[in-house]
Amino acid sequence: MTSPLMQIEDLSISFKIDDEWCRAVNGISFDIMPNETLCIVGESGCGKSITAMSLMKLLPDSAKLGGSVMFGERNMLSLSERELEDVRGSRIAMIFQEPMTSLNPVLTVGEQIAEPLVLHKGMSWSAARREARNLLDLVRIPDAQKRLGQYPHELSGGMRQRVMIAIGLACRPEILIADEPTTALDVTIQAQVLALLEDIRKEQGLSIVMITHDLGVVANVADRVAVMYAGEMVETGPVEAIFDAPSHPYTQALLRTVPRADAAFELSPISGQVPPIQAMPDGCRFSPRCAEEHRACRVTPKLSPGPHSVACWAREGAA
Amino acid sequence: MNDLLVVEGLGKTFGSKKFMQAEYAVTALRDVSFTIGEGETVGVVGESGCGKSTLARCVLDLITPTTGSVLFDDTDLTALDAKSKREMRSRIQMIFQDPYSSLNGKRTIGKTLAEPLWVHEGVRFKDALPRIHAVLKEVGMPISAADKYPHEFSGGQRQRIAIARALILEPDLVIADEAVSALDVSVQAQVLLLMRGIQKERGLSYLFITHDLGVVRNFCDRVLVMYLGSVVESGPVAELLTNPKHPYTKSLRDAAPIPDVSKRQSLALLEGEIPSPANPPSGCAFHPRCPRATDICRKEAPKLEGTTDQRMFACHNPEP
């Protein structure tokens, strides 16, 4: 049994809204294993992105954090900004949805890839620039030498996302967090970028935490899946278990809303919407939209033990 | 089924010829022909930059097409004077992708919904209220929404309001340009079902522009696949997606991830990216990325042909 790379225990994130602390993420626990792709999936506003941000403590000071994010011996949540700088971008890197806004428009591609190498690895700019060329080859950007001198606006969306990935990989991180990395791309380009990430994960042996709302993407890239709803983790398990035998009513309902290109079937929407964080229902947060009922729904259910775990009173083994 | 819309040889070239500047021309749309029957939903798919949105705008004459004609209910929209064009336009309405920017944030929903009635029918706000309330109910919104502002609603609710605005003039054709792309899947399914229910109720037609083949498969009757400004394949949805003839249609289908682990595959990779319409490749525009390309593809552009007018494709070496 390999030990986890990162252990997240009872993580909670609260924000103050109208003088009241609201829990955007409510006590979630999960592990990130070495060399795996973990997908965190859920609708907008369910806390996927801030969970990902908190793994690097990339949240504003106004956020109140609880629980722990253990990376090796260290709890990321109790590190100082200085200590965090050693980890961020070097051992844990992140790529975002919108490559145009996360790249600096006034720096060349080469400078942006070289920067983390100079900052974290203490390389000279000329050595870093040579390494940047290798990284562009790694992310399969043709004509790398010419691209190094170009600015982000000269690249297409797919190329920009490859540059983002090159920056993320520059310091050979152990964990790459990818927040909706292909959402803004066309399907054909999305397929290219997903294949690239998968190849790189195998070659470099890193772990990828991918945040996405697209269950099609999840089915194609994930080893393990964590389904989030309204700031809580409602189901986790190996990708086969989640798709072949979804257990939580939310996971089941979500799968029935996805239009598939290979078959026509009656879409059945989930009524209502994700509640705002100021007005979270008591007990199970999905209960107001849930088709099933159990006498214990007013009490918050916990994830059941085991590799495929679910937080629902109406399922056997739930606690 | 009668044809509501008949588009013939529609083309649009953007360009300029200025003093002391090099002349440039970008052909965004090239010889596009199709029909939409009464009560039918026709989808248009393709990557960004393939001309989907230009097509929608040309049909509505929001952009004046360079060539071709748009027959709506047997009237050529491109040949009308401004006044009759405006009258015809009340029968074709549009829904846009981003409900955050397509609704005026400084106006109440009621005022937004009243405007088309004032412009087209001269109905005053007070007299418009019963119709505003009726259309809000039809899209599943409470009538109290009329007094609120767009920021008070979620994305899905705003898209319902945008649909209400399109419906209030009782159009025969609604053009939806990526109308559900910005929504979460659960909300997307709600809006798609709403649009289908409205179609059943009112018998209207949709021109449905999207990049999502899953949505096409579950919402459209027929589909046009576009690449670099041209239609490369068209036909009934189920048939076209099960047995695509054009290699581009096949690549597009195989790149769409299916939420099913048993169908997990390396998403078949289409190399490269869509070329710039300012500098299109010779012959078939798809040949630099096509796995089936041969010599003739580099020299000669294939024509859109088919055995029936239901199923057409433009390819020298179609898939078996």
Side-chain angles (χ1 to χ4, degrees), chain B residues 29-238:
Chain B
L29 212 57
R30 201 186 298 268
D31 194 22
V32 173
S33 304
F34 66 96
T35 61
I36 303 180
E38 283 171 17
E40 192 182 28
T41 302
V42 174
V44 182
V45 287
E47 290 168 279
S48 318
C50 72
K52 306 188 291 281
S53 293
T54 307
L55 174 64
R57 284 164 174 73
C58 281
V59 167
L60 212 57
D61 206 9
L62 291 176
I63 300 172
T64 308
T66 321
T67 59
S69 63
V70 179
L71 286 173
F72 180 74
D73 209 5
D74 298 327
T75 313
D76 189 349
L77 291 183
T78 51
L80 290 180
D81 60 73
K83 188 163 169 276
S84 351
K85 197 183 277 175
R86 184 190 279 188
E87 272 167 31
M88 284 308 265
R89 268 193 191 157
S90 72
R91 299 176 58 193
I92 311 177
Q93 290 293 310
M94 192 148 175
I95 307 168
F96 298 91
Q97 171 168 3
D98 184 2
Y100 291 80
S101 52
S102 66
L103 294 174
N104 188 334
K106 292 183 179 173
R107 274 191 200 166
T108 62
I109 303 305
K111 286 263 163 31
T112 291
L113 295 177
E115 192 182 18
L117 293 175
W118 169 247
V119 170
H120 286 284
E121 298 173 19
V123 179
R124 288 179 186 285
F125 182 67
K126 259 191 209 152
D127 305 322
L129 270 176
R131 282 168 74 180
I132 290 170
H133 290 166
V135 80
L136 280 172
K137 266 193 224 157
E138 191 177 350
V139 298
M141 296 289 291
I143 54 172
S144 60
D147 302 321
K148 295 187 177 166
Y149 290 89
H151 75 262
E152 298 176 67
F153 298 99
S154 67
Q157 289 170 321
R158 280 185 225 208
Q159 202 57 299
R160 285 171 190 267
I161 294 163
I163 293 171
R165 179 178 56 187
L167 290 179
I168 200 155
L169 290 170
E170 295 174 13
D172 301 307
L173 174 66
V174 171
I175 300 176
D177 190 357
E178 300 275 11
V180 296
S181 308
L183 307 175
D184 265 315
V185 276
S186 66
V187 179
Q188 171 177 291
Q190 289 173 7
V191 172
L192 285 175
L193 286 186
L194 170 72
M195 289 178 72
R196 190 183 287 161
I198 289 166
Q199 182 173 44
K200 259 189 200 147
E201 201 67 27
R202 296 190 172 211
L204 49 74
S205 309
Y206 289 119
L207 179 61
F208 199 85
I209 292 164
T210 178
H211 65 275
D212 187 334
L213 280 177
V215 171
V216 167
R217 183 77 169 87
N218 287 280
F219 189 74
C220 301
D221 302 311
R222 282 190 301 127
V223 61
L224 313 173
V225 182
M226 288 186 69
Y227 190 77
L228 211 66
S230 304
V231 174
V232 296
E233 184 162 9
S234 67
V237 169

Side-chain angles (χ1 to χ4, degrees), chain A residues 27-292:
Chain A
I28 62 172
S29 304
F30 61 100
D31 294 340
I32 299 167
M33 305 302 287
N35 197 14
E36 75 164 354
T37 301
L38 171 71
C39 280
I40 301 180
V41 65
E43 291 173 88
S44 321
C46 69
K48 308 185 294 282
S49 289
I50 54 166
T51 300
M53 297 287 221
S54 70
L55 302 185
M56 293 168 81
K57 210 182 170 194
L58 268 178
L59 290 169
D61 290 339
S62 60
K64 191 166 82 179
L65 296 160
S68 64
V69 174
M70 298 303 295
F71 184 43
E73 296 296 302
R74 300 197 277 188
N75 181 359
M76 293 291 288
L77 301 186
S78 54
L79 294 187
S80 67
E81 276 301 307
R82 244 203 92 83
E83 292 168 307
L84 283 166
E85 273 169 25
D86 290 338
V87 181
R88 284 182 193 150
S90 136
R91 296 184 62 198
I92 309 177
M94 188 154 184
I95 56 176
F96 301 91
Q97 172 173 354
E98 205 20 271
M100 194 60 217
T101 49
S102 34
L103 289 173
N104 189 333
V106 298
L107 292 181
T108 63
V109 164
E111 287 167 317
Q112 296 188 57
I113 302 176
E115 191 181 10
L117 291 165
V118 174
L119 289 179
H120 289 295
K121 302 268 164 179
M123 279 188 191
S124 69
W125 275 98
S126 59
R129 220 177 139 82
R130 276 196 300 279
E131 177 62 14
R133 217 209 102 109
N134 296 338
L135 284 158
L136 284 185
D137 287 335
L138 178 73
V139 296
R140 310 210 186 103
I141 292 188
D143 217 353
Q145 194 60 43
K146 183 179 134 211
R147 297 289 186 191
L148 282 179
Q150 288 187 322
Y151 291 90
H153 76 267
E154 298 177 79
L155 307 178
S156 68
M159 285 298 160
R160 281 182 210 141
Q161 197 56 287
R162 284 169 196 262
V163 169
M164 280 296 298
I165 294 172
I167 297 172
L169 293 174
C171 297
R172 315 272 151 169
E174 291 148 74
I175 300 176
L176 180 70
I177 301 169
D179 189 357
E180 305 268 10
T182 59
T183 307
L185 306 176
D186 273 312
V187 278
T188 51
I189 309 300
Q190 164 172 286
Q192 293 172 1
V193 171
L194 291 177
L196 173 71
L197 282 172
E198 178 69 8
D199 289 351
I200 288 173
R201 182 182 66 79
K202 283 186 187 143
E203 281 166 31
Q204 314 268 323
L206 50 76
S207 296
I208 296 178
V209 179
M210 194 182 292
I211 315 289
T212 177
H213 68 274
D214 188 331
L215 286 159
V217 170
V218 176
N220 277 282
V221 303
D223 297 311
R224 283 193 312 127
V225 182
V227 184
M228 284 189 76
Y229 181 78
E232 290 176 346
M233 207 150 266
V234 296
E235 187 166 358
T236 67
V239 66
E240 296 83 7
I242 299 290
F243 283 88
D244 295 343
S247 178
H248 197 282
Y250 177 63
T251 315
Q252 294 172 344
L254 203 57
L255 281 166
R256 283 194 298 268
T257 63
V258 188
R260 297 167 57 142
D262 64 337
F265 66 104
E266 210 40 55
L267 296 175
S268 52
I270 310 173
S271 60
Q273 48 197 317
V274 182
I277 58 169
Q278 310 92 293
M280 282 298 172
D282 292 333
C284 171
R285 290 180 165 186
F286 186 60
S287 57
R289 300 174 76 186
C290 189
E292 294 180 53

Side-chain angles (χ1 to χ4, degrees), chain A residues 188-189 192, chain B residues 47 227 251 268-274 286 288-291:
Chain A
T188 51
I189 309 300
Q192 293 172 1
Chain B
E47 290 168 279
Y227 190 77
S251 314
L269 286 186
L270 185 58
E271 301 268 322
E273 302 184 0
I274 197 166
F286 186 57
R289 300 171 78 186
C290 184

Side-chain angles (χ1 to χ4, degrees), chain A residues 12-31:
Chain A
S12 64
I13 305 167
S14 311
F15 293 95
K16 207 166 204 174
I17 296 173
D18 295 337
D19 266 348
E20 216 166 296
W21 286 102
C22 301
R23 282 200 163 192
V25 170
N26 191 21
I28 62 172
S29 304
F30 61 100
D31 294 340

